[in-house]
Amino acid sequence: MKIRFCIFSIFCTCIILLVSGCGGGADSSSPPQSSASSSSSSNSSTSSSSSSSSSSSSSSVASKTWVGTLLLENSSSNVTVTPKIAIDGAGNAIAVWAQINGSISSIYANRYVVGSGWGTPVIISGSTLATSPVIAMNSSGNAVVAWISGTSPSDIAANIYSTNGGWGTATIIDNSSAAAQSTPAVGIDSNGNALVAWDMRDSTQSTNQYSIMSNRYSAGSWGTATSISGNQLLAMRPHVVFSPNGSALALWEGADLLGTGTKLFFSSFNGSSWVAASAIETLVTSNGTSIGVDGTGNAMLVYGSHPNGVGVNSIYAKQYVVGSGWGGSSLIETSSVEAYNQQVVVELNGNATAIWQEGVATSRLSASRYTVGSGWSTPVFVDLSASAKGLPALATNASGTTIAVWGQVDGTSYNVYASQYSSTSGWSTPTNIENLAGGTSPISPDVAVDTNGNALVVWGQDVPLSIGASVYASRLE
């Protein structure tokens, strides 16, 4: 019962904090409701090959439906963290989550196989306390999962899934016994080489210095963990993204030793080593980052910040081009209310989609499309309902099929919603994709889309009379 209470409390507390920390009334500069004309306009300059692919994909997605709500975990134990999912080019997927296993929390995995469905959950973390899993998968179906292992101090552990041999052995990859490790991020390339990055707090230093560490999996084994953040006072919350060409980018928030404000730092991986870290943006305040990469290694970053430390939080975008580096930042929304919880996905051709929440009492969802050669479109509403919402998740495929999912409180009902983007008609009307009777708020759902436009969504949710939250899934096909 304790976990059930915590899940509900966390969701409601987040809403209360947003309400108490944000002002604002009606938004006179809000984006228009999504429509065929606004969506078509924002994508009018897409290349013919991309448009053809996207239109075909959108038509296919429009004819698909969400299929049922399936329980993925076969235990009455409490699920303690948000489940994550990744998918390969054929539509096979793996979902991971942390679950109480006897007296400790373990990382569980369940694999979805096209034509067969979901398998049986297995423990992939060994016998040590394990929480906060993250997963990445390549188009061939090979995957890497990383998580926080143990306590006082904590470590970073990982396991590799191979289509040839299944799960490997859980391995501690941080090589440190004197520092606390947290917030892992993962990436994997087309050859099965993997990267994990995380932040490390070294309590032996007088300043409790934080660093970004990384370790690489190649040729069947892990290397030695190394710092990629350089001489920084504070380095936290990393992201890692892999391009199909084998290059990778890492991004994190931090501060240098001069104490000149919050900064966004960046390093690139050239296939064998990381380049020296550099600051790409100085912020008065930082409110989260999200990054995606295209097929050639170019990246799109979206982040939240209060300009000059005053006013409402706004969403900005910044692009990285291989050979040229980072360009300037662009404001991609002009709402007069708070904008936050931004997410971005990038297609292989470089087009991108960003989504975020805005407002407090109504907690609307808005989105914008980036088209190569044209830039960002005018934002449109994805959802206008006056309901409290959780963090949205966003996924796309090579053809531009893009799906957003989120948890939502509808009076006394707690549901998971999805909306699909079409190049011809914009965002679809949000659909309730779960059919659970009652229950508490869903724990931030995650989504993955395959090359055919089919999608899988996973989330954690408590239901009446259950011992704790369980993991559920729904499929678009």
Side-chain angles (χ1 to χ4, degrees), residues 5 11 110 133 175 179 202 205 256 260 282 323 337 365 367 404 407 413 440:
F5 173 79
F11 188 84
N110 196 341
N175 309 125
D202 189 351
Q205 301 291 326
D256 57 30
T260 54
T282 298
V337 297
L365 286 178
S413 179
T440 62

Side-chain angles (χ1 to χ4, degrees), residues 322-339:
V322 175
S324 300
W326 290 94
S329 293
S330 302
L331 181 66
I332 64 173
E333 58 83 33
T334 56
S335 171
S336 62
V337 297
E338 291 283 337

Side-chain angles (χ1 to χ4, degrees), residues 142-419:
N142 301 305
V144 56
V145 179
W147 61 89
I148 300 173
S149 176
T151 59
S152 303
S154 55
D155 290 301
I156 299 298
N159 201 337
I160 297 291
Y161 178 85
S162 168
T163 54
N164 295 325
W167 290 104
T169 302
T171 305
I172 300 296
I173 63 171
D174 59 78
N175 309 125
S176 174
S177 60
Q181 328 282 327
S182 61
T183 59
V186 293
I188 187 168
D189 68 15
S190 58
N191 295 317
N193 302 311
L195 285 170
V196 180
W198 64 92
D199 58 52
M200 178 185 75
R201 180 178 65 85
D202 189 351
S203 59
T204 64
Q205 301 291 326
S206 59
T207 57
N208 265 342
Q209 185 170 339
Y210 286 75
S211 301
I212 301 299
M213 306 295 293
S214 178
N215 200 339
R216 184 177 186 234
Y217 177 88
S218 181
S221 63
W222 291 96
T224 301
T226 58
S227 173
I228 65 174
S229 56
N231 192 24
Q232 295 174 23
L233 175 63
L234 185 66
M236 303 176 68
R237 295 182 287 273
H239 297 275
V240 172
V241 287
F242 248 125
S243 172
N245 66 5
S247 62
L249 304 175
L251 181 101
W252 61 92
E253 301 172 51
D256 57 30
L257 294 177
L258 298 177
T260 54
T262 301
K263 294 185 177 183
L264 299 181
F265 288 89
F266 149 83
S267 181
S268 61
F269 183 80
N270 59 17
S272 60
S273 61
W274 291 96
V275 303
S278 60
I280 63 171
E281 193 74 30
T282 298
L283 309 173
V284 176
T285 61
S286 176
N287 192 18
T289 57
S290 179
I291 189 171
V293 66
D294 69 13
T296 58
N298 303 316
M300 184 66 72
L301 163 70
V302 296
Y303 62 93
S305 181
H306 288 78
N308 303 316
V310 297
V312 298
N313 189 77
S314 298
I315 309 301
Y316 295 81
K318 193 178 185 73
Q319 186 178 29
Y320 173 83
V321 177
V322 175
S324 300
W326 290 94
S329 293
S330 302
L331 181 66
I332 64 173
E333 58 83 33
T334 56
S335 171
S336 62
V337 297
E338 291 283 337
Y340 51 96
N341 282 348
Q342 60 280 350
Q343 305 291 325
V344 68
V345 289
V346 180
E347 301 159 27
L348 290 179
N349 62 7
N351 295 333
T353 302
I355 192 170
W356 60 89
Q357 291 174 255
E358 63 177 53
V360 180
T362 56
S363 188
R364 302 164 301 202
L365 286 178
S366 295
S368 178
R369 285 276 297 172
Y370 174 86
T371 304
V372 175
S374 297
W376 289 95
S377 67
T378 300
V380 297
F381 285 130
V382 177
D383 181 89
L384 269 171
S385 63
S387 302
K389 299 175 180 64
L391 176 71
L394 192 63
T396 193
N397 65 8
S399 300
T401 299
T402 303
I403 296 177
V405 297
W406 63 92
Q408 183 169 304
V409 182
D410 296 320
T412 59
S413 179
Y414 303 86
N415 302 304
V416 178
Y417 282 82
S419 179

Side-chain angles (χ1 to χ4, degrees), residues 40-184:
S40 297
S41 172
S42 66
N43 291 281
S44 59
S45 61
T46 306
S47 66
S48 58
S49 59
S50 174
S51 295
S52 173
S53 175
S54 180
S55 296
S56 173
S57 174
S58 297
S59 175
S60 175
V61 170
S63 65
K64 298 177 184 293
T65 58
W66 290 99
V67 181
T69 298
L70 181 68
L71 179 68
L72 289 195
E73 56 93 10
N74 57 4
S75 169
S76 59
S77 300
N78 292 322
V79 176
T80 57
V81 299
T82 305
K84 300 294 183 183
I85 190 167
I87 202 164
D88 67 15
N92 305 310
I94 294 176
V96 295
W97 63 89
Q99 178 177 315
I100 300 296
N101 176 38
S103 60
I104 66 170
S105 173
S106 299
I107 306 303
Y108 281 72
N110 196 341
R111 187 165 183 254
Y112 176 90
V113 177
V114 175
S116 300
W118 290 97
T120 301
V122 295
I123 296 175
I124 63 171
S125 56
S127 59
T128 304
L129 176 71
T131 60
S132 306
V134 288
I135 182 171
M137 178 183 283
N138 65 15
S139 60
S140 301
N142 301 305
V144 56
V145 179
W147 61 89
I148 300 173
S149 176
T151 59
S152 303
S154 55
D155 290 301
I156 299 298
N159 201 337
I160 297 291
Y161 178 85
S162 168
T163 54
N164 295 325
W167 290 104
T169 302
T171 305
I172 300 296
I173 63 171
D174 59 78
N175 309 125
S176 174
S177 60
Q181 328 282 327
S182 61
T183 59

